[in-house]
Amino acid sequence: MEVEQLPDQVREFAVYLRNLLARLDQDAGWCGIFWQRDPDGMRVCLTGAEVPPWDVVEALLQDLGVGGGSYEAEVESETVRARALHRASLTAFDARPGGRDLLGDRLDVMLREQRYAAERQVELAQLLHTAATREQAEAMRLDLAWARDDHERATARCAELHRRIADLDRRPPPSPPPVPVPQQRPQPAPPEPPGRSEPPKERKRRPRGSARFAGMPDVATPADDTPLPTAVQGPLRDFAASPRGARFAGAGEGEATAPPAPQHLDSEARAAIVACVGALLRLRAEGRGGEAHGVLVEAAHWPAARFPLLAAELNRAGLGADWATLLWETASLPADLLVAAADALAAAGRTADAQQILRQGVGRPATEIGASVLRLTGEGRHREIRALLDAYVRVRTPEEAARSVRDDPGRLVPLLVKAARGVSDERYWDVVHALRVAGFHA
């Protein structure tokens, strides 16, 4: 996007960001780290082609206050101004055509970054105990500190992306342009000569632009075999845009397998939620992040019915980043608990959160997915099986899906193939091909 095409708010923030960096040492502090780790990202933000996440702006403002004393008061007032300009810039940036879908794609990427950073922390913490020398231990501690920073930033960015998506979803749809009214009535066409009976040629209709995808063609009619644009293809787009049947089960439209209705909470559950949010506020204020994370891990194992109210209370208290962390922890639960949490969130209208934990939950190894499906099969949990496999075949590659059936191909292959068929014909044939290549009869 050229500078002159930028919305005014985006251009104004880009100018502010350039002026802020001009006041900093480019080779020191967070500014130096950002230039070293992502120079291309810094450049596109300075031109206004992208708006940086707030955690980046906040870190640059910390560089401004390194001097202490009077600088701290300056940073406080500067932060208020920067926050206002940043929010206005994001609002204008996201309002562009295709902004909603771009945010969804970026959220998927950032959720993977968050999960990778968390796994990296666990791996380095375990390796730290095996360090043979002090130098090795120090190097691992440094890597562990960076993994923690990566996880904190990814968590904050997931929360920011969730807020931006929610803001967009609350906006009213744009009004259609007014239809021009002709100033003069056209003269009637001359009458047809008698005896002429052949019908006029049918004019080929142009596909109308789809409001959902900002002007991209709708699904082609049988007379038009033009393929869909790449931007609306792929498993992640299918998963976010078109759940079928039971909300996440991929079942047929007429199948009566809807998730259970929202459950009412008793006074004990409500009191536990209030106590949890209060504890998190206190721990965050005291800088005790490790203990706060422990509270979130414990909350992830609560009954699923508590999740919607907990989400509302966390966001109301300004703890959106903690809600994003709790979702990540929930995605690591056993399959039946994961689906129960997704059901509760979907029934309360938090569909994006429900889809998110299913996407993250199926990021576990293929053999673990297969084992979970077999266990659910033995318990007769058919709707949970459909929910899990529907998310799995949408998010993972066909080759990964094929690896999940190794423990019991006789029972798992038909379930996997049925789930793939529920997503799309293309996904069905891709999965069937991957199964055949892997040596399984589909």
Side-chain angles (χ1 to χ4, degrees), residues 3 13 126 130 135 137 177 198 266 268 284 293 322 355 359 363 368 370 389 426:
V3 175
F13 182 77
Q126 293 172 344
T130 66
E135 289 76 12
E198 55 184 41
D266 55 24
E268 181 183 353
R284 292 301 183 193
H293 189 263
D322 281 332
Q355 291 175 345
R359 277 197 301 264
E368 187 176 335
L389 287 180
E426 180 183 5

Side-chain angles (χ1 to χ4, degrees), residues 259-285:
Q263 300 179 29
H264 295 290
L265 299 179
D266 55 24
S267 57
E268 181 183 353
R270 293 178 180 274
I273 291 170
V274 172
C276 175
V277 175
L280 287 170
L281 285 170
R282 186 184 73 256
L283 293 170
R284 292 301 183 193

Side-chain angles (χ1 to χ4, degrees), residues 29 65 84-85 113 125 132 142 159 171 201 246 269 291 295 314 318 355 374 379 418:
L85 291 172
E113 292 289 334
L142 180 61
R171 295 181 200 174
K201 290 185 178 179
E291 293 175 64
V295 172
L314 286 172
Q355 291 175 345
L374 288 173
E379 297 171 2
K418 182 179 179 181

Side-chain angles (χ1 to χ4, degrees), residues 278-410:
L280 287 170
L281 285 170
R282 186 184 73 256
L283 293 170
R284 292 301 183 193
E286 296 171 359
R288 296 155 65 184
E291 293 175 64
H293 189 263
V295 172
L296 293 170
V297 171
E298 182 180 351
H301 291 80
W302 280 359
R306 297 184 183 184
F307 281 25
L309 181 57
L310 180 57
E313 292 300 324
L314 286 172
N315 284 289
R316 186 178 295 116
L319 296 173
D322 281 332
W323 172 241
T325 301
L326 180 60
L327 285 177
W328 180 84
E329 293 293 344
T330 304
S332 301
L333 294 174
D336 53 342
L337 300 180
L338 169 66
V339 175
D343 281 347
L345 291 168
R350 303 188 70 92
T351 308
D353 289 338
Q355 291 175 345
Q356 175 187 328
I357 62 173
L358 284 173
R359 277 197 301 264
Q360 289 180 285
V362 296
R364 59 193 74 187
T367 53
E368 187 176 335
I369 293 290
S372 297
V373 172
L374 288 173
R375 181 170 58 83
L376 292 172
T377 301
E379 297 171 2
R381 310 282 289 275
H382 302 297
R383 200 186 61 77
E384 286 85 350
I385 293 170
R386 285 194 296 271
L388 189 65
L389 287 180
D390 178 76
Y392 189 59
V393 297
R394 290 178 187 272
V395 174
R396 307 301 291 269
T397 66
E399 291 73 24
E400 290 170 325
R403 287 197 291 271
S404 69
V405 306
R406 288 177 178 172
D407 289 346
D408 193 339

